[in-house]
Amino acid sequence: MSQVRVVTDSTADIPAALREALNIELVPLKVHFGTETFKDSVDMGPEQFFEKLVSFSSLPTTSQPSPVEFTETYKRLADEYGGPIISIHLSSRMSGTYQSALLAQSMLEGEADLHVIDSKTASYGIGMMAVAAAEAAQQGKSKEEILEMIEAIRRDEKMYFLVDTLEYLQKGGRIGRAAALLGSLLNIKPILSISEEGEVYSIDKVRGHKKAMARIIELLKADFGDKPIHVTVAHANHMANAEELSSLILQSFNVASIGYASIGPVIGTHSGPGAVAAFVRPA
């Protein structure tokens, strides 16, 4: 039986070395600075993106891969490997990426053993599923076993996202200008999460960075208590924030594993620089 191949998109924010080691196939979204277009995680990495973002007068725009890009990827994998393909993507409530992948699937009916998944999350929330799926594939697990495991991770994982500045939420139209100005003056730090339906929502607003970090620990305590957990801390070009949060998590929880990821261009367009996120699932 041929090994399952895992496909994801660039919003999964999986570190390149890990992605390559696990043979995870990447289909990139795009980020547009005016007339300039870059493929997320291919033409432009996080460091270059955030450098350009802070000097750009407006907000860059983003776009999903076309069904043709997915079709080409799936067809190549089917021809080269002949085994099942599991394709895991950014929440359909945030992007048309999942719909593009579904269209590609319909175009290849009968030509590939293909399963497309709406992760109903973003960034390393997708990454956690894709990495676990690829590890299981390397261990020789079947498509059915891997799909069951992905569903369990999707059900059980939690994420909390701390935004450092309100500027990019305001530029992206998620909050009004007056709210952004007042929030900045009062040093308000929104803590965001993602609903079961796959939509971003504000779970709390806290004054000050330290209190916001402490609030994330409280939220995770309510979710996991003393159970062993796998953790990935992602950051938007601000490793110090990631190290601060990971240190608090290590002090407060039964941590089975912990790692870091960088928030890439597409997710970073909406979070802005300095954001930090905890992605956690039971061990």
Coordinates of all heavy atoms in Angstrom, one line a residue, residues 102-193:
L102 N -11.5 22.0 -3.2 CA -12.7 21.2 -3.5 C -13.0 21.1 -5.0 O -13.3 20.1 -5.6 CB -14.0 21.7 -2.8 CG -14.1 21.3 -1.3 CD1 -15.4 21.9 -0.8 CD2 -14.0 19.8 -1.1
L103 N -12.9 22.3 -5.7 CA -13.0 22.4 -7.1 C -12.0 21.5 -7.8 O -12.4 20.8 -8.8 CB -12.9 23.8 -7.6 CG -14.2 24.7 -7.6 CD1 -13.9 26.1 -7.9 CD2 -15.2 24.1 -8.7
A104 N -10.8 21.6 -7.4 CA -9.7 20.7 -7.9 C -10.1 19.3 -7.8 O -9.9 18.5 -8.7 CB -8.4 21.1 -7.3
Q105 N -10.6 18.9 -6.6 CA -10.9 17.5 -6.3 C -12.0 17.1 -7.3 O -11.9 16.0 -7.8 CB -11.5 17.4 -4.9 CG -11.8 16.0 -4.5 CD -12.4 16.0 -3.1 OE1 -13.2 16.8 -2.7 NE2 -12.1 15.0 -2.3
S106 N -13.0 17.9 -7.6 CA -14.1 17.5 -8.5 C -13.5 17.4 -9.9 O -14.0 16.5 -10.7 CB -15.2 18.5 -8.5 OG -14.8 19.8 -9.0
M107 N -12.5 18.2 -10.3 CA -11.9 18.1 -11.6 C -11.1 16.8 -11.8 O -10.8 16.4 -12.9 CB -11.0 19.3 -11.9 CG -11.8 20.6 -12.0 SD -10.9 22.1 -11.6 CE -9.8 22.2 -13.0
L108 N -10.7 16.2 -10.7 CA -9.8 15.0 -10.7 C -10.6 13.7 -10.3 O -10.0 12.7 -10.0 CB -8.6 15.2 -9.8 CG -7.6 16.2 -10.3 CD1 -6.5 16.4 -9.2 CD2 -6.9 15.7 -11.6
E109 N -11.9 13.8 -10.3 CA -12.7 12.6 -9.9 C -12.3 11.4 -10.6 O -12.2 11.4 -11.9 CB -14.2 12.9 -10.1 CG -15.0 12.1 -9.2 CD -16.5 12.6 -9.1 OE1 -16.7 13.8 -9.3 OE2 -17.3 11.7 -8.8
G110 N -12.0 10.3 -9.9 CA -11.6 9.1 -10.5 C -10.1 9.0 -10.9 O -9.6 7.9 -11.2
E111 N -9.4 10.1 -10.8 CA -8.0 10.1 -11.1 C -7.1 10.1 -9.9 O -5.9 9.9 -10.0 CB -7.6 11.4 -11.9 CG -8.2 11.4 -13.3 CD -7.8 12.6 -14.1 OE1 -6.6 12.9 -14.2 OE2 -8.7 13.3 -14.6
A112 N -7.6 10.5 -8.7 CA -6.8 10.5 -7.5 C -7.7 10.2 -6.3 O -8.8 10.5 -6.2 CB -6.3 11.9 -7.3
D113 N -7.0 9.5 -5.3 CA -7.7 9.1 -4.1 C -7.4 10.3 -3.1 O -6.4 10.4 -2.5 CB -7.1 7.8 -3.5 CG -7.7 7.4 -2.2 OD1 -8.6 8.2 -1.7 OD2 -7.3 6.4 -1.6
L114 N -8.4 11.3 -3.1 CA -8.1 12.6 -2.5 C -9.2 12.9 -1.5 O -10.4 12.8 -1.8 CB -8.1 13.6 -3.7 CG -8.0 15.1 -3.3 CD1 -6.7 15.4 -2.6 CD2 -8.1 15.9 -4.6
H115 N -8.7 13.4 -0.3 CA -9.7 13.9 0.7 C -9.3 15.3 1.1 O -8.2 15.5 1.6 CB -9.6 12.9 1.9 CG -10.8 13.1 2.8 ND1 -11.9 12.2 2.8 CD2 -11.0 14.0 3.8 CE1 -12.7 12.6 3.7 NE2 -12.2 13.7 4.3
V116 N -10.2 16.2 0.9 CA -10.0 17.7 1.2 C -10.6 18.0 2.6 O -11.8 17.7 2.7 CB -10.4 18.6 0.1 CG1 -10.2 20.0 0.5 CG2 -9.7 18.2 -1.2
I117 N -9.9 18.7 3.5 CA -10.4 19.0 4.8 C -10.4 20.5 5.1 O -9.4 21.2 4.8 CB -9.5 18.3 5.9 CG1 -9.6 16.8 5.7 CG2 -9.9 18.7 7.3 CD1 -8.7 16.0 6.6
D118 N -11.5 20.9 5.6 CA -11.6 22.3 6.1 C -11.1 22.3 7.5 O -11.8 21.7 8.4 CB -13.1 22.8 6.0 CG -13.3 24.2 6.6 OD1 -12.3 24.8 7.1 OD2 -14.4 24.7 6.5
S119 N -10.0 22.8 7.8 CA -9.4 22.8 9.2 C -10.2 23.5 10.2 O -10.1 23.3 11.4 CB -8.0 23.3 9.2 OG -8.0 24.8 9.0
K120 N -11.0 24.5 9.7 CA -11.8 25.4 10.6 C -10.9 26.1 11.6 O -11.3 26.5 12.7 CB -12.9 24.6 11.3 CG -13.9 24.0 10.3 CD -15.1 23.5 11.0 CE -16.1 23.0 9.9 NZ -17.3 22.4 10.5
T121 N -9.6 26.3 11.2 CA -8.7 27.1 12.0 C -7.7 27.8 11.1 O -7.9 27.9 9.9 CB -8.1 26.2 13.1 OG1 -7.3 27.0 13.9 CG2 -7.2 25.1 12.5
A122 N -6.6 28.3 11.7 CA -5.6 29.1 10.9 C -4.3 28.9 11.5 O -4.1 28.4 12.6 CB -6.0 30.6 10.9
S123 N -3.2 29.3 10.8 CA -1.9 29.3 11.2 C -1.5 27.9 11.7 O -1.9 26.9 11.1 CB -1.6 30.4 12.2 OG -0.2 30.5 12.5
Y124 N -0.8 27.8 12.8 CA -0.3 26.5 13.3 C -1.4 25.6 13.8 O -1.2 24.4 14.0 CB 0.8 26.6 14.3 CG 1.8 25.4 14.2 CD1 2.7 25.3 13.2 CD2 1.6 24.3 15.1 CE1 3.5 24.2 13.0 CE2 2.4 23.2 14.9 CZ 3.4 23.2 13.9 OH 4.2 22.0 13.8
G125 N -2.6 26.1 13.9 CA -3.8 25.3 14.1 C -3.9 24.2 13.0 O -4.2 23.1 13.2
I126 N -3.7 24.7 11.7 CA -3.7 23.8 10.6 C -2.4 23.0 10.6 O -2.4 21.8 10.4 CB -3.7 24.6 9.3 CG1 -4.7 25.7 9.2 CG2 -3.8 23.7 8.1 CD1 -4.5 26.8 8.2
G127 N -1.3 23.7 11.0 CA 0.0 23.0 11.0 C 0.0 21.8 11.9 O 0.6 20.8 11.6
M128 N -0.6 21.9 13.1 CA -0.7 20.8 14.0 C -1.3 19.6 13.4 O -0.8 18.4 13.5 CB -1.5 21.2 15.3 CG -0.6 21.8 16.3 SD -1.5 21.9 17.9 CE -0.1 22.2 19.0
M129 N -2.4 19.8 12.6 CA -3.0 18.7 11.9 C -2.1 18.1 10.8 O -2.0 16.9 10.7 CB -4.3 19.1 11.3 CG -5.4 19.6 12.3 SD -6.9 20.2 11.5 CE -7.5 21.3 12.7
A130 N -1.6 19.0 10.0 CA -0.8 18.5 8.9 C 0.5 17.8 9.3 O 0.9 16.7 8.8 CB -0.4 19.7 8.0
V131 N 1.2 18.3 10.4 CA 2.4 17.6 10.9 C 2.1 16.3 11.5 O 2.7 15.3 11.2 CB 3.1 18.6 11.9 CG1 4.1 17.8 12.7 CG2 3.7 19.8 11.2
A132 N 1.0 16.2 12.3 CA 0.6 14.9 12.9 C 0.2 13.9 11.8 O 0.6 12.7 11.9 CB -0.5 15.1 13.9
A133 N -0.5 14.4 10.8 CA -0.9 13.5 9.7 C 0.3 13.0 8.9 O 0.4 11.8 8.6 CB -1.8 14.3 8.8
A134 N 1.3 13.9 8.7 CA 2.5 13.5 7.9 C 3.3 12.5 8.8 O 3.9 11.5 8.2 CB 3.3 14.7 7.5
E135 N 3.4 12.7 10.1 CA 4.2 11.8 10.9 C 3.5 10.4 10.9 O 4.2 9.4 10.8 CB 4.2 12.4 12.4 CG 5.2 13.5 12.5 CD 5.1 14.2 13.9 OE1 4.1 14.0 14.6 OE2 6.1 14.9 14.2
A136 N 2.2 10.4 11.0 CA 1.4 9.2 11.0 C 1.6 8.5 9.6 O 1.7 7.2 9.6 CB 0.0 9.4 11.3
A137 N 1.7 9.2 8.6 CA 1.9 8.7 7.2 C 3.2 8.0 7.1 O 3.4 6.9 6.6 CB 1.7 9.8 6.2
Q138 N 4.2 8.6 7.7 CA 5.6 8.1 7.7 C 5.7 6.8 8.5 O 6.5 5.9 8.3 CB 6.6 9.1 8.2 CG 6.9 10.2 7.2 CD 8.1 11.0 7.5 OE1 8.6 11.0 8.6 NE2 8.6 11.8 6.6
Q139 N 4.8 6.7 9.5 CA 4.7 5.4 10.3 C 3.9 4.3 9.6 O 3.7 3.2 10.2 CB 4.1 5.8 11.7 CG 5.0 6.6 12.6 CD 4.2 7.3 13.7 OE1 3.0 7.0 13.9 NE2 4.8 8.4 14.3
G140 N 3.3 4.7 8.4 CA 2.6 3.7 7.7 C 1.1 3.6 8.0 O 0.5 2.6 7.7
K141 N 0.6 4.6 8.7 CA -0.8 4.5 9.1 C -1.7 4.7 7.8 O -1.3 5.3 6.8 CB -1.2 5.7 10.1 CG -0.5 5.6 11.4 CD -1.1 4.6 12.3 CE -0.4 4.4 13.6 NZ -0.4 5.6 14.5
S142 N -2.9 4.1 7.9 CA -3.8 4.1 6.7 C -4.5 5.5 6.6 O -4.5 6.3 7.6 CB -4.9 3.1 6.9 OG -5.8 3.4 7.9
K143 N -5.1 5.8 5.5 CA -5.8 7.0 5.3 C -6.9 7.2 6.3 O -7.1 8.2 6.9 CB -6.4 7.0 3.8 CG -7.2 8.3 3.5 CD -7.9 8.3 2.2 CE -9.1 7.4 2.2 NZ -9.9 7.5 0.9
E144 N -7.7 6.1 6.6 CA -8.8 6.1 7.5 C -8.3 6.5 8.9 O -8.9 7.3 9.7 CB -9.5 4.8 7.5 CG -10.3 4.5 6.3 CD -9.4 4.2 5.1 OE1 -8.3 3.7 5.3 OE2 -9.9 4.4 3.9
E145 N -7.2 5.8 9.3 CA -6.6 6.1 10.7 C -6.2 7.6 10.8 O -6.4 8.2 11.8 CB -5.4 5.2 10.9 CG -5.7 3.8 11.2 CD -4.5 2.9 11.3 OE1 -3.6 3.0 10.4 OE2 -4.3 2.2 12.3
I146 N -5.5 8.1 9.7 CA -5.1 9.5 9.7 C -6.2 10.5 9.7 O -6.2 11.5 10.5 CB -4.1 9.7 8.5 CG1 -2.8 8.9 8.7 CG2 -3.7 11.2 8.4 CD1 -1.9 8.9 7.5
L147 N -7.3 10.2 9.0 CA -8.5 11.1 9.0 C -9.1 11.1 10.3 O -9.5 12.2 10.8 CB -9.5 10.6 7.9 CG -9.0 10.8 6.4 CD1 -10.0 10.1 5.5 CD2 -8.9 12.3 6.1
E148 N -9.2 10.0 11.0 CA -9.7 9.9 12.3 C -8.9 10.8 13.3 O -9.4 11.5 14.2 CB -9.8 8.5 12.8 CG -10.7 8.2 13.9 CD -10.8 6.7 14.3 OE1 -11.1 5.9 13.3 OE2 -10.5 6.3 15.4
M149 N -7.6 10.7 13.2 CA -6.7 11.4 14.1 C -6.8 12.9 13.8 O -6.9 13.7 14.8 CB -5.3 11.0 13.8 CG -4.2 11.6 14.7 SD -2.6 11.3 14.1 CE -2.7 12.2 12.6
I150 N -6.9 13.3 12.6 CA -7.1 14.8 12.2 C -8.4 15.3 12.8 O -8.4 16.4 13.4 CB -7.1 15.0 10.7 CG1 -5.7 14.7 10.1 CG2 -7.5 16.4 10.3 CD1 -5.7 14.6 8.6
E151 N -9.4 14.5 12.8 CA -10.7 15.0 13.3 C -10.6 15.1 14.8 O -11.1 16.1 15.4 CB -11.8 13.9 13.0 CG -13.2 14.4 13.4 CD -13.6 15.8 13.0 OE1 -13.4 16.1 11.8 OE2 -14.2 16.5 13.8
A152 N -9.9 14.2 15.5 CA -9.7 14.3 17.0 C -8.9 15.6 17.3 O -9.2 16.3 18.3 CB -9.0 13.1 17.5
I153 N -7.8 15.9 16.5 CA -7.0 17.1 16.8 C -7.9 18.3 16.6 O -7.9 19.3 17.4 CB -5.8 17.1 15.9 CG1 -4.8 16.0 16.3 CG2 -5.0 18.5 16.0 CD1 -3.6 15.8 15.3
R154 N -8.6 18.3 15.5 CA -9.5 19.5 15.2 C -10.5 19.8 16.3 O -10.8 20.9 16.7 CB -10.2 19.3 13.8 CG -11.1 20.5 13.4 CD -11.5 20.4 12.0 NE -12.5 19.3 11.8 CZ -13.1 19.1 10.6 NH1 -12.9 19.9 9.6 NH2 -14.0 18.2 10.4
R155 N -11.0 18.7 16.9 CA -12.0 18.8 18.0 C -11.3 19.3 19.3 O -11.9 20.1 20.0 CB -12.6 17.4 18.2 CG -13.7 17.4 19.2 CD -14.2 16.0 19.5 NE -13.1 15.1 20.0 CZ -12.7 14.0 19.4 NH1 -13.2 13.6 18.3 NH2 -11.7 13.3 20.0
D156 N -10.1 18.8 19.5 CA -9.5 19.0 20.9 C -8.5 20.2 21.0 O -8.2 20.6 22.1 CB -8.8 17.7 21.3 CG -9.7 16.6 21.5 OD1 -10.9 16.8 21.7 OD2 -9.3 15.4 21.4
E157 N -7.9 20.6 19.9 CA -6.9 21.7 20.0 C -7.5 23.0 20.3 O -8.7 23.3 20.0 CB -6.1 21.8 18.7 CG -6.8 22.4 17.5 CD -5.9 22.6 16.3 OE1 -4.7 22.2 16.3 OE2 -6.3 23.2 15.3
K158 N -6.7 23.9 21.0 CA -7.2 25.2 21.3 C -6.1 26.2 20.9 O -4.9 25.9 20.8 CB -7.3 25.3 22.9 CG -8.4 24.4 23.5 CD -9.8 24.9 23.1 CE -10.8 24.0 23.8 NZ -12.2 24.4 23.4
M159 N -6.5 27.4 20.5 CA -5.5 28.4 20.2 C -6.0 29.8 20.8 O -7.2 30.1 20.8 CB -5.3 28.5 18.7 CG -6.5 29.1 17.9 SD -6.6 30.9 17.8 CE -5.2 31.2 16.8
Y160 N -5.0 30.5 21.2 CA -5.2 31.9 21.7 C -4.1 32.8 21.1 O -3.0 32.5 21.1 CB -5.2 32.0 23.2 CG -6.3 31.1 23.8 CD1 -6.0 29.9 24.4 CD2 -7.6 31.5 23.8 CE1 -7.0 29.1 25.0 CE2 -8.6 30.7 24.3 CZ -8.3 29.5 24.9 OH -9.3 28.7 25.4
F161 N -4.6 33.9 20.6 CA -3.8 34.8 19.7 C -3.7 36.2 20.4 O -4.8 36.8 20.6 CB -4.4 34.9 18.4 CG -3.5 35.1 17.2 CD1 -3.3 34.0 16.3 CD2 -3.0 36.3 16.9 CE1 -2.5 34.2 15.2 CE2 -2.2 36.4 15.8 CZ -1.9 35.4 15.0
L162 N -2.6 36.7 20.7 CA -2.5 38.0 21.4 C -1.9 39.0 20.3 O -0.8 38.8 19.8 CB -1.6 37.9 22.6 CG -1.2 39.2 23.3 CD1 -2.4 39.9 23.8 CD2 -0.2 38.9 24.5
V163 N -2.7 40.0 20.0 CA -2.3 41.0 19.0 C -1.5 42.1 19.8 O -2.0 42.6 20.8 CB -3.5 41.5 18.3 CG1 -3.1 42.6 17.3 CG2 -4.2 40.4 17.6
D164 N -0.4 42.5 19.3 CA 0.5 43.5 19.9 C 0.0 45.0 19.6 O 0.1 45.9 20.4 CB 1.9 43.4 19.4 CG 2.9 44.1 20.3 OD1 2.8 44.0 21.6 OD2 3.7 44.9 19.8
T165 N -0.6 45.1 18.4 CA -1.1 46.5 18.0 C -2.4 46.3 17.3 O -2.7 45.3 16.7 CB -0.1 47.1 16.9 OG1 -0.7 48.3 16.4 CG2 0.3 46.2 15.8
L166 N -3.3 47.3 17.5 CA -4.6 47.3 17.0 C -4.7 47.9 15.5 O -5.7 47.8 14.8 CB -5.6 48.1 17.8 CG -5.7 47.6 19.3 CD1 -6.6 48.6 20.1 CD2 -6.4 46.3 19.3
E167 N -3.5 48.4 15.1 CA -3.4 49.1 13.8 C -3.9 48.2 12.6 O -4.7 48.6 11.7 CB -2.0 49.5 13.5 CG -1.8 50.2 12.2 CD -0.3 50.5 11.9 OE1 0.5 50.4 12.8 OE2 0.0 50.9 10.8
Y168 N -3.5 46.9 12.6 CA -3.8 46.1 11.5 C -5.2 45.5 11.5 O -5.8 45.3 10.5 CB -2.7 45.0 11.4 CG -1.4 45.6 11.1 CD1 -0.5 46.0 12.1 CD2 -1.0 45.9 9.8 CE1 0.7 46.7 11.9 CE2 0.2 46.6 9.6 CZ 1.0 46.9 10.6 OH 2.2 47.6 10.4
L169 N -5.8 45.3 12.7 CA -7.2 44.9 12.8 C -8.0 46.1 12.3 O -9.1 45.9 11.7 CB -7.5 44.6 14.3 CG -6.9 43.4 14.9 CD1 -7.3 43.3 16.4 CD2 -7.3 42.1 14.2
Q170 N -7.6 47.3 12.6 CA -8.3 48.5 12.1 C -8.2 48.6 10.6 O -9.2 48.8 9.9 CB -7.8 49.7 12.8 CG -8.6 51.0 12.5 CD -7.9 51.9 11.6 OE1 -6.8 52.3 11.7 NE2 -8.7 52.4 10.6
K171 N -7.0 48.5 10.1 CA -6.8 48.6 8.6 C -7.5 47.6 7.9 O -8.0 47.8 6.8 CB -5.3 48.5 8.3 CG -4.4 49.7 8.5 CD -3.0 49.5 8.1 CE -2.1 50.7 8.2 NZ -0.7 50.4 7.9
G172 N -7.7 46.4 8.5 CA -8.4 45.3 7.8 C -9.9 45.3 8.0 O -10.6 44.4 7.6
G173 N -10.4 46.3 8.7 CA -11.8 46.5 8.9 C -12.4 45.7 10.0 O -13.6 45.7 10.1
R174 N -11.6 45.0 10.8 CA -12.2 44.2 11.9 C -12.6 45.0 13.1 O -13.5 44.6 13.9 CB -11.1 43.1 12.4 CG -10.9 42.1 11.3 CD -10.2 40.9 11.9 NE -10.1 39.8 10.9 CZ -11.0 38.9 10.6 NH1 -12.1 38.9 11.3 NH2 -10.8 38.0 9.7
I175 N -12.0 46.2 13.3 CA -12.5 47.1 14.3 C -12.5 48.5 13.8 O -11.7 48.8 12.8 CB -11.6 47.1 15.6 CG1 -10.1 47.4 15.3 CG2 -11.7 45.7 16.3 CD1 -9.3 47.6 16.6
G176 N -13.3 49.4 14.3 CA -13.4 50.8 13.8 C -12.2 51.6 14.3 O -11.4 51.3 15.2
R177 N -12.0 52.8 13.6 CA -10.9 53.7 13.9 C -10.9 54.2 15.3 O -9.9 54.3 16.0 CB -10.9 54.8 12.9 CG -9.6 55.6 12.8 CD -9.5 56.5 11.6 NE -8.2 57.1 11.5 CZ -7.7 57.6 10.4 NH1 -8.4 57.6 9.3 NH2 -6.6 58.2 10.4
A178 N -12.1 54.6 15.8 CA -12.2 55.1 17.1 C -11.9 54.1 18.2 O -11.2 54.4 19.1 CB -13.7 55.6 17.4
A179 N -12.4 52.8 17.9 CA -12.1 51.7 18.9 C -10.6 51.5 18.9 O -10.0 51.2 20.0 CB -12.8 50.5 18.5
A180 N -9.9 51.5 17.8 CA -8.5 51.3 17.7 C -7.7 52.4 18.4 O -6.7 52.1 19.1 CB -8.0 51.2 16.2
L181 N -8.1 53.6 18.2 CA -7.4 54.7 18.9 C -7.6 54.6 20.4 O -6.6 54.8 21.1 CB -8.0 56.1 18.3 CG -7.4 57.3 18.9 CD1 -5.9 57.4 18.6 CD2 -8.1 58.6 18.4
L182 N -8.8 54.4 20.9 CA -9.1 54.3 22.3 C -8.3 53.1 22.9 O -7.7 53.2 23.9 CB -10.6 54.1 22.5 CG -11.0 54.1 24.0 CD1 -10.7 55.4 24.7 CD2 -12.5 53.8 24.1
G183 N -8.4 52.0 22.2 CA -7.7 50.8 22.6 C -6.2 51.0 22.8 O -5.6 50.6 23.7
S184 N -5.6 51.7 21.8 CA -4.2 52.0 21.9 C -3.8 53.0 23.0 O -2.8 52.8 23.7 CB -3.7 52.7 20.5 OG -3.9 51.8 19.5
L185 N -4.7 54.0 23.2 CA -4.4 54.9 24.4 C -4.5 54.2 25.7 O -3.8 54.5 26.6 CB -5.5 56.0 24.3 CG -5.3 57.1 23.2 CD1 -6.5 58.0 23.1 CD2 -4.1 57.9 23.4
L186 N -5.4 53.2 25.8 CA -5.6 52.5 27.1 C -4.7 51.2 27.2 O -4.8 50.5 28.1 CB -7.1 52.1 27.2 CG -8.1 53.2 27.4 CD1 -9.5 52.7 27.4 CD2 -7.9 54.1 28.6
N187 N -3.9 51.0 26.1 CA -3.0 49.8 26.1 C -3.8 48.5 26.2 O -3.5 47.6 26.9 CB -2.0 49.9 27.2 CG -0.8 48.9 27.0 OD1 -0.6 48.5 25.9 ND2 -0.1 48.5 28.1
I188 N -4.9 48.5 25.4 CA -5.8 47.3 25.4 C -5.2 46.3 24.5 O -4.8 46.6 23.4 CB -7.2 47.7 24.9 CG1 -7.9 48.7 25.8 CG2 -8.1 46.4 24.7 CD1 -8.2 48.2 27.2
K189 N -5.1 45.0 25.0 CA -4.6 43.9 24.2 C -5.7 42.9 24.0 O -6.1 42.2 24.9 CB -3.4 43.2 24.9 CG -2.2 44.2 25.3 CD -1.5 44.6 24.0 CE -0.3 45.5 24.4 NZ 0.3 46.1 23.2
P190 N -6.2 42.8 22.7 CA -7.2 41.8 22.5 C -6.7 40.4 22.4 O -5.6 40.2 21.9 CB -7.8 42.2 21.1 CG -7.1 43.4 20.7 CD -5.9 43.6 21.5
I191 N -7.4 39.4 23.0 CA -7.0 38.0 22.9 C -8.0 37.4 22.0 O -9.2 37.4 22.3 CB -7.0 37.3 24.3 CG1 -5.9 38.0 25.2 CG2 -6.7 35.8 24.1 CD1 -5.9 37.6 26.6
L192 N -7.6 36.9 20.9 CA -8.4 36.3 19.9 C -8.4 34.8 19.9 O -7.4 34.2 20.3 CB -8.0 36.8 18.5 CG -7.8 38.3 18.3 CD1 -7.4 38.6 16.9 CD2 -9.1 39.0 18.6
S193 N -9.5 34.2 19.5 CA -9.5 32.7 19.3 C -10.3 32.4 18.0 O -10.7 33.4 17.3 CB -10.1 32.1 20.5 OG -9.9 30.7 20.4

